[in-house]
Amino acid sequence: MTTTTVDVLIVGAGPVGLFGAYYAGVRGLSTAVIDSLSQVGGQVTAMYPEKEIFDIAGFPSVSGRTLISNLVEQAAPYDPTYILGQEAQDLEHVTGEDGRERLVVTTSTGDRIDAGSVIVTGGIGTFTPRTLPAGEDFLGRGLEYFVPSSAEYAGQDVVIVGGGDSAVDWANMLHPIAKSVTLVHRRDQFRAHHGSVEQMKAAPVEVVLNAQITETSGADTLETVTVTPKAKDEEPWSLPCTKLVAALGFTANLGPLREWGVELHDNRHLVVDPAMRTNVSGVFAAGDITDYDGKVRLIAVGFGEVATAVNNAAVHIDPDAQLFPGHSTDQQPSVPQPA
């Protein structure tokens, strides 16, 4: 068991958490970032690293992978501690040697993080993909639930299952390099963005609606799938498939955060005030996991929220600190400069 002592613990290493690590560094606060995933980037890294994102300020277009890489680079001069592959579990309030409140979080491996404040940026919490029962036998041998890299799909017969943004985005991303791409959706309407759907329909992607994948087969690895239409007067048929991507959504779980005593909205979001404070002393939140009147769930909004959270956390840690530190352009650089 180890103990890490920092000014701020950030729970969630997605884009908002990574920007929070940078901004905490600007405020001169030491920071640890914990995430249950084994890599930084949260949903962006796990679900759409090569998707182009168009609503990040200052970037007409940026891939998810590049965005995360840039955020890590931005925070690097302040040397945040990354604690990956561990879940934040128990929260304990203690009194520090200076008489001020400290928060101690115990992780899923038994390690402890002693912080002056905690900022939760966990997006939707711990997320688990919904499974494709007909393909589970080929998980890791042809079936995948995420597409972290497009390279392994080059020259493959790809079948994508789903009708949401991830399914359509992956179809648009993979068709230029795959041997074939077929998208199978059990409904006749898509949940994905209209523009992305229209792009897919104009591409060499076979779209099969009102049907499901009911069987998978192959020797050591996946070779074919069976498509079964909903209409009873239509017969199932077989498709060549060496890569099957099940984009059926995911279930989100706040997990141990529910035990922290934080007020929840709809049993899934943390209620915060304008300072990004939760009802638990020393615990702030930012990003998609938060809720308040007028909340808009965008990465761009989360960036502003986490800056607000960090500034208010700084005052919570040290009541004599200034809430607003001034603009970065008004200050001398506080990070090491090239010789």
Side-chain angles (χ1 to χ4, degrees), residues 79-257:
D79 198 25
T81 299
Y82 292 104
I83 303 170
L84 303 177
Q86 298 187 46
E87 184 179 56
Q89 293 189 336
D90 298 332
L91 173 68
E92 179 184 3
H93 293 258
V94 301
T95 301
E97 294 180 357
D98 59 359
R100 292 177 178 169
E101 179 185 54
R102 302 286 298 178
L103 289 82
V104 177
V105 172
T106 303
T107 77
S108 52
T109 63
D111 292 336
R112 292 161 60 87
I113 307 166
D114 181 335
S117 184
V118 174
I119 303 175
V120 181
T121 59
I124 58 170
T126 302
F127 62 98
T128 305
R130 292 191 173 96
T131 61
L132 179 68
E136 276 294 287
D137 288 345
F138 286 95
L139 183 59
R141 298 187 297 126
L143 170 67
E144 301 293 344
Y145 290 105
F146 305 115
V147 182
S149 172
S150 62
E152 63 189 79
Y153 293 82
Q156 304 288 327
D157 288 309
V158 180
V159 175
I160 300 171
V161 184
D165 283 314
S166 293
V168 173
D169 288 341
W170 286 334
N172 286 328
M173 180 179 74
L174 296 176
H175 76 78
I177 64 170
K179 181 179 179 181
S180 68
V181 173
T182 302
L183 184 139
V184 179
H185 183 33
R186 63 177 179 168
R187 298 189 175 93
D188 59 2
Q189 298 292 323
F190 289 94
R191 302 185 309 278
H193 189 276
H194 175 73
S196 299
V197 173
E198 293 303 305
Q199 179 185 349
M200 178 185 66
K201 289 180 177 179
V205 175
E206 179 82 16
V207 178
V208 180
L209 302 178
N210 295 311
Q212 300 183 66
I213 301 298
T214 56
E215 188 177 345
T216 53
S217 61
D220 293 332
T221 58
L222 184 61
E223 296 174 8
T224 63
V225 297
T226 300
V227 181
T228 301
K230 282 186 176 180
K232 295 182 179 179
D233 59 345
E234 296 183 30
E235 294 293 322
W237 72 92
S238 179
L239 275 178
C241 176
T242 53
K243 290 290 185 181
L244 176 61
V245 182
L248 301 173
F250 44 83
T251 58
N253 186 2
L254 292 179
L257 292 181

Side-chain angles (χ1 to χ4, degrees), residues 23-90:
Y23 199 83
V26 171
R27 288 295 323 242
L29 303 172
S30 59
T31 308
V33 184
I34 185 171
D35 200 294
S36 60
L37 297 178
S38 60
Q39 55 190 341
V40 300
Q43 294 177 63
V44 173
T45 295
M47 299 186 66
Y48 50 91
E50 299 192 33
K51 174 183 175 181
E52 292 296 313
I53 304 173
F54 300 97
D55 57 1
I56 303 298
F59 291 91
S61 173
V62 60
S63 71
R65 188 185 305 280
T66 299
L67 174 63
I68 297 304
S69 176
N70 286 353
L71 286 165
V72 170
E73 181 181 353
Q74 187 177 27
Y78 302 103
D79 198 25
T81 299
Y82 292 104
I83 303 170
L84 303 177
Q86 298 187 46
E87 184 179 56
Q89 293 189 336
D90 298 332

